[in-house]
Amino acid sequence: MADAQDPANNQPAGYVPPKVWVWEQGNGGQFANINRPVSGATHDKALPVGEHPLQLYSLGTPNGQKVTILLEELLAAGHAGAEYDAWKINIGEGEQFGSGFVEINPNSKIPALVDRSADPAISVFESGAILVYLAEKFGAFLPTEPAARARTMSWLMWQMGSAPFLGGGFGHFFAYAPFKIEYAINRYAMEVKRQLHVLDKHLAKNRYMAGEEYTIADMAIWPWYGGVARGDAYAGAAEFLNVTEYTHFTRWAEEVGSREPVQRGRLVNRGSGPEEFRLAERHSAADIDAVRAKMQG
């Protein structure tokens, strides 16, 4: 039997988990004011509706960027029906707990999509589900050949299962926790390094995640892992994780990141960065064009 742990070594020193956990509001961390152990709406607020059939309610986080990148890729590929209105949901202010948003996503997480071209309208939540829904709706970026489809879906699901270790694990303790915990940072840094190695080995033999074809798997993985490669996520993380040693991964991250629809999609519903380069809402291509012109100027 292992020796009993000494509570004096815990953080904070002397902490012992209670028999039954009780929620204490404001328990520290950047998101303490919005995290809670229950679901449902906290206030009444209807969602706005624009002129396009596709209504996206989101924020320009990696999960939100997945969907706007796909929508911009669809438009660039000539799918006019992919025109969309994108409304910013400010999760820092708890807007994801408004009654209208909870109605289309009981889990109160961005992004959520409403397709009003159907009768009745179809609501889709969870970024991976939205990617599959849109890819199937427009017949694009999701191969129909069984082996290629299986590869795409496998890597899409890999992202859904792996990114929480990058964001909620490493990112939280490296960048957002109220104090640094060596054990937690080391634990999740090790896992993220393993994931980067998985990607690097795979991309040594493949141009894109599913092979030679660019798919929704690339669009799902890039906002999370490409953000780290480019130094956009978690200040100092790229150096800390020594991302440059993963040469095949960084090649892919640069290639995908250089695509015009990717650059356009990552601007939508942005909540960080210079104010003049943010695009809170997107209702037409001209909205993105205006921000791009400012950035290039």
Side-chain angles (χ1 to χ4, degrees):
M1 181 180 295
D3 294 337
Q5 293 182 338
D6 184 351
N9 296 326
N10 293 345
Q11 285 186 292
Y15 169 73
V16 176
K19 295 291 185 182
V20 178
W21 182 82
V22 177
W23 179 37
E24 295 181 5
Q25 288 184 275
N27 64 346
Q30 183 169 332
F31 304 105
N33 64 319
I34 60 170
N35 290 334
R36 57 198 184 105
V38 294
S39 63
T42 60
H43 58 283
D44 290 329
K45 185 176 182 181
L47 291 175
V49 178
E51 66 178 31
H52 301 299
L54 297 178
Q55 299 292 303
L56 179 66
Y57 304 94
S58 189
L59 186 65
T61 65
N63 283 334
Q65 289 177 26
K66 298 176 197 175
V67 179
T68 49
I69 286 172
L70 173 55
L71 287 167
E72 292 297 323
E73 290 280 7
L74 287 167
L75 290 171
H79 297 278
E83 269 294 350
Y84 66 104
D85 294 283
W87 305 91
K88 182 179 177 182
I89 300 296
N90 190 334
I91 62 175
E93 299 297 325
E95 292 181 357
Q96 69 274 32
F97 301 119
S99 57
F101 191 84
V102 173
E103 184 177 353
I104 63 172
N105 184 359
N107 197 40
S108 293
K109 303 288 185 182
I110 60 94
L113 177 79
V114 179
D115 183 355
R116 300 175 70 86
S117 68
D119 187 16
I122 298 173
S123 299
V124 192
F125 63 92
E126 288 296 328
S127 57
I130 296 173
L131 293 183
V132 173
Y133 176 81
L134 291 173
E136 291 183 336
K137 177 181 176 71
F138 293 101
F141 302 112
L142 178 57
T144 56
E145 190 276 320
R149 181 182 175 88
R151 288 194 298 270
T152 303
M153 295 297 288
S154 293
W155 283 107
L156 175 62
M157 295 305 129
W158 177 89
Q159 185 278 315
M160 302 298 287
S162 298
F165 290 95
L166 171 58
F170 173 77
H172 177 78
F173 287 107
F174 185 79
Y176 301 136
F179 51 86
K180 305 300 182 188
I181 303 174
E182 181 183 15
Y183 171 80
I185 292 174
N186 285 344
R187 168 66 182 86
Y188 288 109
M190 177 174 63
E191 171 59 15
V192 173
K193 293 281 287 184
R194 187 193 70 81
Q195 293 176 6
L196 292 173
H197 194 232
V198 168
L199 292 171
D200 194 58
K201 287 176 37 176
H202 178 71
L203 290 165
K205 301 176 182 178
N206 298 275
R207 180 179 180 184
Y208 296 114
M209 295 309 305
E212 290 301 304
E213 186 176 353
Y214 177 67
T215 69
I216 56 173
D218 299 283
M219 301 177 209
I221 294 170
W222 187 88
W224 281 103
Y225 295 86
V228 172
R230 294 161 59 96
D232 296 335
Y234 319 125
E239 180 180 8
F240 181 79
L241 296 169
N242 193 21
V243 171
T244 55
E245 71 174 311
Y246 306 107
T247 56
H248 306 293
F249 162 71
T250 53
R251 181 271 308 163
W252 167 87
E254 181 61 30
E255 180 174 354
V256 173
S258 67
R259 294 176 66 92
E260 178 73 10
V262 173
Q263 295 179 24
R264 294 176 68 86
R266 65 191 301 266
L267 294 176
V268 180
N269 299 142
R270 202 166 182 176
S272 61
E275 191 69 34
E276 65 271 24
F277 298 157
R278 298 185 190 185
L279 183 60
E281 298 177 5
R282 185 271 188 205
H283 303 292
S284 73
D287 296 330
I288 300 178
D289 291 342
V291 175
R292 295 273 286 166
K294 291 179 183 178
M295 296 176 74
Q296 292 168 357

